[in-house]
Amino acid sequence: MIFTYIDGSNTRNSVSLLDTHHNSGFFETLHADSKLEFIKQFIPAYNAGQKLVLFDKNHTQLLDFHQKNNINSLKDTESLEPDTRLLFFTSGSSGFPVGAFKTQTNLAKEVKALKELVSVKCIKRVVVTVPFVHIYGVLGGLLLPLALGEIELIVKEDFLPYELIEEVKKGDTLVITTPVFIKALGKLSETVDMSSSLFISSTGPLHTDDISVFETLYSADVMQLFGSTETGGIAYKFGVSKKWIPLRDVSVEQKNERLSVSSPYISTFLLQEGIQKLELPFTTEDIIEIDSEGFELLGRSNKIIKIAGKRISALAIESLLEKIEGVERAVVTLVYKKELLRSEQILITLQAKNQLQKSFIKQKINESYGVLTIPFKVVYVETIKLSSMGKKVLF
């Protein structure tokens, strides 16, 4: 693998990854202030079999946790599998981040599945826009390129959308990115044939409108990956298809309307108020409909809203609200309060230039989805932050 790093002045630098690393046998936290330093530290350490702790140092709760705790001193670390290699953390978008221990077996098998998926294209170059501290960045942005062999890995701290277009114009390129970037590329006026390249998007769902615009502009295939830090990859789909297809060796079923998963990519142990063993099959909070062709994601259990007898994803309502002039970001959640006449209530959090009348919001929802009878509350915040992986974060 050839590693090319584009610095702040847009100079392309060929980087050597020949540094050696001594395996201490204990967990070591990888400290890196840039993607360049991360790769130069991670790959030699990983190749040496070093156990690594990866987390976003900009996440204040996690930083505080690591300053006060030594992973090697935690109770039950001796229970971890012998080939445990990496400790990842969730983004913490719904609370304190959960740690997920990944073994060499977890990682190697998932990389094999991803390599099989991208074989639909003749990949010669991999461009990575995501940070490496999360599982998607490491699997898709580092371990997969290593497994692909004779390719060029191109990394920059922060690609601008038009810079990414220039890279992909060279053809035969695999882009590891997020929904935020796909949406941004869809807003550019340039039309480019990228049919020889493949874009992989993960960390959150893409609206079909955004995919349609992107595919029209660039004639490029978009493959979405669905999974989590705990489960690893679960399924994939191409384009505007609603059906998710399980990855190789992944078994899915429906349990009380929720997605239940058995897979060699799932962490056996989690770090959540101590080290805990995860029971399999693992049931997620995702509501699904399943058939012989795959499954359709209806949304998270707290992100499904029933309107006029139909189950509507909160994502769809968020997308609708963000099309209103002045609304920059929206988060829609279904909450439960016993003191209410009806125990459920919709909580709408908006980052907007001006406050909207509740009647106007209700009218917009009614026009698209039918009469909304569930009570809702609107809260305005100065900023709805995005995590390093592009997820909306309210905590």
Side-chain angles (χ1 to χ4, degrees):
M1 182 183 79
I2 300 170
F3 173 32
T4 299
Y5 178 76
I6 304 174
D7 62 25
S9 61
N10 283 328
T11 301
R12 304 177 81 89
N13 304 276
S14 182
V15 182
S16 171
L17 297 173
L18 298 179
D19 294 342
T20 58
H21 182 95
H22 173 69
N23 182 359
S24 69
F26 298 96
F27 278 103
E28 293 183 359
T29 300
L30 194 154
H31 297 284
D33 292 324
S34 67
K35 290 179 180 177
L36 172 63
E37 288 304 314
F38 187 99
I39 295 175
K40 290 175 72 173
Q41 291 181 47
F42 176 86
I43 291 181
Y46 184 81
N47 287 339
Q50 178 65 54
K51 298 176 182 178
L52 294 171
V53 180
L54 308 178
F55 73 97
D56 184 355
K57 68 175 186 176
N58 294 315
H59 195 297
T60 53
Q61 289 176 301
L62 273 180
L63 183 61
D64 181 65
F65 173 82
H66 283 280
Q67 288 173 341
K68 295 177 180 177
N69 296 276
N70 182 345
I71 299 298
N72 298 292
S73 301
L74 294 178
K75 184 181 178 183
D76 296 328
T77 52
E78 69 278 0
S79 301
L80 300 174
E81 295 111 314
D83 67 335
T84 298
R85 297 296 297 281
L86 303 176
L87 172 59
F88 293 101
F89 285 86
T90 62
S91 62
S93 56
S94 57
F96 191 84
V98 174
F101 294 94
K102 294 296 177 183
T103 65
Q104 177 64 29
T105 302
N106 291 147
L107 299 165
K109 288 191 173 183
E110 186 163 355
V111 168
K112 184 178 180 181
L114 293 176
K115 185 178 178 182
E116 182 180 88
L117 285 178
V118 303
S119 66
V120 296
K121 301 287 184 180
C122 181
I123 301 300
K124 298 177 182 177
R125 309 165 73 251
V126 179
V127 177
V128 182
T129 73
V130 299
F132 294 120
V133 292
H134 299 290
I135 187 168
Y136 173 53
V138 167
L139 279 170
L142 289 179
L143 300 185
L144 176 58
L146 283 170
L148 291 173
E150 297 300 316
I151 57 97
E152 180 184 13
L153 173 64
I154 300 115
V155 173
K156 186 178 181 183
E157 296 303 322
D158 294 294
F159 276 104
L160 294 173
Y162 76 88
E163 293 174 331
L164 186 58
I165 294 292
E166 291 303 312
E167 289 296 331
V168 184
K169 278 182 180 179
K170 298 172 184 177
D172 301 324
T173 302
L174 173 65
V175 181
I176 306 297
T177 191
T178 64
V180 171
F181 242 101
I182 298 295
K183 292 177 183 178
L185 291 172
K187 293 177 181 178
L188 299 182
S189 57
E190 189 171 5
T191 301
V192 182
D193 184 0
M194 299 182 183
S195 56
S196 68
S197 298
L198 174 63
F199 285 72
I200 297 182
S201 176
S202 190
T203 75
L206 264 171
H207 197 279
T208 53
D209 290 348
D210 296 318
I211 299 173
S212 297
V213 169
F214 182 87
E215 291 181 336
T216 299
L217 282 174
Y218 305 117
S219 302
D221 290 324
V222 177
M223 180 175 75
Q224 294 186 73
L225 284 177
F226 168 65
S228 69
T229 306
E230 302 95 318
T231 64
I234 295 175
Y236 70 96
K237 66 177 181 177
F238 282 93
V240 297
S241 172
K242 290 185 177 181
K243 287 291 174 66
W244 292 90
I245 302 170
L247 292 172
R248 168 199 281 269
D249 299 326
V250 174
S251 174
V252 300
E253 59 183 3
Q254 191 180 43
K255 184 177 181 181
N256 297 325
E257 295 192 326
R258 288 168 169 76
L259 174 65
S260 181
V261 186
S262 295
S263 160
Y265 320 141
I266 296 178
S267 296
T268 304
F269 291 93
L270 300 181
L271 180 56
Q272 188 175 24
E273 297 180 357
I275 295 174
Q276 301 180 7
K277 189 168 185 179
L278 194 62
E279 297 298 324
L280 297 180
F282 179 69
T283 301
T284 75
E285 290 299 315
D286 301 288
I287 306 299
I288 66 167
E289 290 182 350
I290 191 169
D291 60 27
S292 59
E293 296 178 356
F295 64 91
E296 184 177 342
L297 275 175
L298 302 182
R300 303 285 286 178
S301 59
N302 69 334
K303 301 281 276 183
I304 293 289
I305 298 164
K306 211 161 191 179
I307 302 175
K310 297 174 289 187
R311 290 192 290 194
I312 308 298
S313 166
L315 174 68
I317 299 176
E318 289 173 7
S319 180
L320 172 70
L321 296 175
E322 288 172 354
K323 290 176 181 176
I324 298 173
E325 185 177 353
V327 176
E328 296 168 343
R329 287 181 187 146
V331 174
V332 177
T333 309
L334 193 62
V335 295
Y336 296 89
K337 293 189 175 182
K338 293 180 181 179
E339 66 271 17
L340 295 176
L341 184 60
R342 288 187 60 168
S343 60
E344 58 186 15
Q345 181 187 67
I346 300 171
L347 176 61
I348 299 175
T349 305
L350 296 179
Q351 175 187 328
K353 295 177 180 177
N354 300 296
Q355 293 197 10
L356 306 174
Q357 292 290 330
K358 281 187 68 175
S359 58
F360 177 75
I361 294 173
K362 185 173 183 178
Q363 177 189 337
K364 286 293 182 182
I365 295 173
N366 290 350
E367 288 173 356
S368 296
Y369 302 111
V371 178
L372 177 65
T373 58
I374 302 173
F376 69 95
K377 178 181 179 181
V378 182
V379 174
Y380 291 88
V381 295
E382 185 175 335
T383 304
I384 295 175
K385 295 180 180 179
L386 293 179
S387 72
S388 58
M389 297 299 282
K391 291 184 177 180
K392 297 172 186 173
V393 180
L394 292 177
F395 291 85

